[in-house]
Amino acid sequence: MLFDFSQTEAAVRYKLMSQSIVPRPIAWIVTENGPLNVAPFSFFSGIASNPPTVMVAIGHKSDGTPKDTLKNIRETRKCVICSVRPDDLEKMHFSSAALDEGVDEAEYFDIPVKKVFDGYPPMIEGAPSAFFCTLTQEVALDGSKTIPLFLHIEHMYLDDAYEGKELELTGRLGKNYMAPGEKIEAPNIPKI
């Protein structure tokens, strides 16, 4: 089956892409511009290690206004991107709900946070890793209400328990989630 994306509805394009780009890491983003905003985004990826840069795509609310995370990053230019451990899956998922602006989502969803670096929002307590980021670039996509943000990683937190080990993180697999499970080892590349 072939799809001409110029002739395919946005919802269908999203479904096709989200089921084909797997697994997708989850950026559990904390922003602060008054009350804390905590929200997950799965259109997220590392872009470069030099300079250390990640990209996250953030959409708009159903009424067309920017999501609180986007609004806060635009205004403060700062955010903390936390990874998600399997034990936090339910809280992370619930934090994707649209709440009224001004509601402290960490408090509302009982998500413990801790302050690590001055000048940045707190990180989610218990997160295996966290990137403390500054907005460097916003890209406007023609005809889209989704905004890719390029964020420079200024600092990183890594839980001491994972030093020298792989992180056990939750990701998106289509519309579902993926927790650590069976690992497939990469085969050795034959000498050519």
Side-chain angles (χ1 to χ4, degrees):
M1 182 177 284
L2 297 174
F3 294 90
D4 178 348
F5 271 21
S6 67
Q7 304 297 315
T8 306
E9 291 180 26
V12 174
R13 288 194 307 262
Y14 173 82
K15 182 178 178 183
L16 290 168
M17 291 176 67
S18 67
Q19 290 179 345
S20 299
I21 303 170
V22 294
R24 297 189 323 274
I26 298 169
W28 203 9
I29 301 179
V30 182
T31 58
E32 189 171 26
N33 193 10
L36 285 182
N37 177 262
V38 181
F41 297 90
S42 64
F43 270 46
F44 163 64
S45 187
I47 299 299
S49 60
N50 189 20
T53 305
V54 293
M55 185 280 305
V56 63
I58 302 175
H60 284 65
K61 297 177 183 178
S62 58
D63 66 3
T65 61
K67 287 188 176 182
D68 295 340
T69 302
L70 177 59
K71 179 179 172 285
N72 292 347
I73 293 173
R74 283 174 165 167
E75 291 179 10
T76 68
R77 304 192 69 76
K78 304 282 186 179
C79 70
V80 178
I81 299 175
C82 299
S83 57
V84 181
R85 59 189 183 124
D87 291 349
D88 287 331
L89 178 88
E90 186 173 271
K91 287 182 180 184
M92 179 275 301
H93 182 70
F94 289 164
S95 71
S96 67
L99 299 180
D100 291 338
E101 187 175 356
V103 174
D104 184 314
E105 293 176 339
E107 186 178 296
Y108 187 89
F109 292 112
D110 193 27
I111 300 168
V113 296
K114 67 178 180 179
K115 191 73 171 172
V116 178
F117 290 106
D118 288 336
Y120 290 89
M123 66 172 278
I124 294 165
E125 195 170 315
S129 65
F131 297 127
F132 297 78
C133 300
T134 302
L135 176 64
T136 58
Q137 187 176 357
E138 179 178 318
V139 178
L141 300 174
D142 289 343
S144 178
K145 292 257 186 215
T146 299
I147 309 294
L149 301 178
F150 290 82
L151 303 158
H152 182 262
I153 302 169
E154 305 284 353
H155 306 281
M156 181 181 174
Y157 164 86
L158 178 64
D159 187 317
D160 291 342
Y162 291 100
E163 189 173 341
K165 299 177 185 174
E166 289 184 18
L167 299 177
E168 295 179 351
L169 306 178
T170 302
R172 286 303 294 250
L173 194 60
K175 69 177 185 172
N176 297 308
Y177 294 105
M178 177 196 86
E182 187 177 323
K183 181 170 54 172
I184 301 170
E185 294 289 332
N188 291 328
I189 298 173
K191 291 183 180 181
I192 299 175

